[in-house]
Amino acid sequence: MKFLAITLIVHRPDPVTGVLKTTRDRFREVLDNALLAEELGFDGFGVGERHERPFISSSPPVVLSHIAALTRRIRLFTAVTTLSLLDPVRAYEDYATLDHLSDGRLELIIGKGNGAAQRELFQVTPDDQWERNAESYEVFRRIWRQDKVTAATRFRPELADAEVWPRPYQRPVRVWHGSATSKESVDLAARYGDPLFSANVTHPIEPYAELIGYYRERWEHYGHDPGALAVGAGSAGLYVARTSQEAVEAYRPVFEGTLAFQRQAGLPVVFETVEDFVERSSALIGSPQQVVDKVHRYHERFGHTVLHVHADAGGLTEPQHRDSLELFRSEVASVLRKDIPDPPFDWGPVLPTSSTTQEPARV
C-alpha cells in the first residue's frame, strides 16, 4: 500500500484556538508539511484546487512547483485538478512544465470540483459541468499523447493541428479520477482505463463502496484487464496515539471546533459526536492497532491500494501532529505496506519504456 499526505489549503481560524494565520504563514505551513511528509517516508504529497473561500488553493501548479524544488523523492499530486473549470490547453502547459521541473514526479487527480461560488466565477453551470469535465479531460489527454491535435470542442476554441509546448516528460502522466458522489466521473475513469480515487471523507462507507463497485463493473464493461485496476481512498481525519482513549480525547476539541464551524456556515452535519465520527466515518483516530484494523475493514469493501491522510494539523498542536504522523509511519504504515499490495504499476515516472505506458486516446 502507498500513502499520500494531502492538503486543500483551508484558510480559516484554527478550530481550537480561533487564531487565523496570515496567508503567507499558511503557505509556509504547507511547504513545511510537504517536507515533513518526505522526511517521514510518505509516497506522495497532494495539493487541492479550490476557487472559493475558505480555500487558498487556487494555484496548485505554483505550490507544487515550489514543493518540487524543496524535495527530491516524493511524488506530487493534485487533489483535485478541476478540469471542468479550466482550459485544457493552459492546464497542460502548466502541468507539463511542472512535470519537467520535478523530474517526472507529477500525478494528477482530476474532477469537476464542487461549490457554487467557483462555478459562478468561471461561468460553469450545473447542467454543463460534467460535459465540460469530460471534454477538457479528453483534450488534455490527447495533447499529452499527440504532437499535433485537432479537436472540435464546445467549451473552448477548436483546435486544428495545434502544437502545445513543452512536450511532455512523462509519456503520459498518470491521471486518477477523483470521485465523491457521482457516477459520471467513475464512468469516465473506467472508460479510459484510468485509476479511481474515492474522496471517502464526508459520509459513512456505503455510498463510496457503491461507487467503487460501479467502477469495477464499468471497467469490465469497457474490456480492461482486471489486474490493472487501481483504487485510492481518502480519510476524514488522522490522530494516532498510544491508546484509543488518548486519541479520542486529544481529537475531541478539534472535532467540536470543526462541528461548530459547519453549523455556523450552514453545512450539513453527518456526525454529531466525536465518538460517532470515530466509529462510522473514515477518520483514522485511535491506537495503531485500531487504525490498522479500520484500514483493513475499508480495504475489504474498496480493494484500495493507496490511502491519503490529512497533511495539516487542522487544530492539533504541531507536536501532536508530528507525533501522530511519526506513529502512523512506524506502527501503521509499516504494517499496511506488508498486508496490502501496492498499485499494479511502478511508483515512478511513466516513460515510453515503462509497462505502464497507455495506448493512444480513443477519441
Side-chain angles (χ1 to χ4, degrees), residues 15-285:
V16 177
T17 67
V19 173
L20 177 65
K21 293 185 177 181
T22 66
T23 300
R24 176 189 177 280
D25 286 347
R26 184 67 182 96
F27 279 125
R28 292 304 313 178
E29 184 178 44
V30 170
L31 301 179
D32 290 343
N33 286 335
L35 288 169
L36 177 61
E38 177 159 272
E39 175 191 334
L40 294 179
F42 277 79
D43 303 291
F45 188 87
V47 173
E49 180 180 338
R50 298 289 189 279
H51 300 272
E52 57 188 334
R53 68 171 64 187
F55 306 98
I56 53 172
S57 51
S58 58
S59 187
V62 176
V63 178
L64 287 170
S65 289
H66 197 147
I67 293 171
L70 298 174
T71 58
R72 291 293 176 267
R73 176 196 58 80
I74 199 165
R75 291 192 67 75
L76 308 173
F77 282 73
T78 63
V80 299
T81 296
T82 52
L83 278 182
S84 64
L85 310 179
L86 305 178
D87 181 334
V89 174
R90 191 70 187 93
Y92 166 83
E93 291 172 334
D94 284 342
Y95 285 115
T97 300
L98 167 56
D99 199 34
H100 279 278
L101 294 174
S102 66
D103 292 329
R105 287 189 282 145
L106 176 65
E107 302 209 16
L108 299 180
I109 307 175
I110 69 161
K112 73 167 182 64
N114 292 302
Q118 65 180 13
R119 282 201 308 266
E120 293 172 4
L121 185 65
F122 288 89
Q123 297 185 330
V124 173
T125 71
D127 294 332
D128 68 19
Q129 60 187 343
W130 289 112
E131 293 177 357
R132 286 177 179 271
N133 186 63
E135 178 183 288
S136 289
Y137 176 56
E138 289 161 2
V139 172
F140 183 91
R141 180 185 174 91
R142 290 179 61 185
I143 294 172
W144 209 284
R145 289 163 172 78
Q146 300 173 15
D147 291 337
K148 294 184 178 181
V149 174
T150 296
T153 50
R154 289 180 55 201
F155 300 108
R156 61 144 288 125
E158 295 186 359
L159 300 172
D161 271 349
E163 296 180 287
V164 189
W165 298 90
R167 296 311 301 146
Y169 182 87
Q170 294 189 88
R171 297 179 179 268
V173 68
R174 182 175 297 112
V175 177
W176 301 69
H177 295 248
S179 167
T181 58
S182 63
K183 290 186 175 181
E184 287 89 345
S185 56
V186 168
D187 187 81
L188 188 66
R191 187 190 322 163
Y192 284 106
D194 294 331
L196 182 74
F197 216 108
S198 172
N200 189 39
V201 169
T202 307
H203 302 286
I205 193 171
E206 286 75 16
Y208 304 114
E210 180 180 345
L211 279 176
I212 292 171
Y214 180 71
Y215 171 64
R216 294 180 183 278
E217 292 174 10
R218 299 307 291 169
W219 183 276
E220 182 178 348
H221 169 80
Y222 288 115
H224 301 301
D225 176 6
L229 181 148
V231 173
S235 58
L238 175 70
Y239 188 65
V240 188
R242 285 297 171 190
T243 69
S244 60
Q245 294 84 356
E246 179 187 349
V248 170
E249 290 311 309
Y251 201 84
R252 186 182 301 277
V254 176
F255 174 82
E256 291 177 349
T258 302
L259 182 65
F261 171 82
Q262 291 174 331
R263 286 176 170 155
Q264 182 180 12
L267 299 173
V269 173
V270 179
F271 307 103
E272 296 280 354
T273 67
V274 68
E275 288 79 10
D276 188 37
F277 181 65
V278 171
E279 176 64 26
R280 293 197 304 122
S281 83
S282 61
L284 304 175
I285 299 168

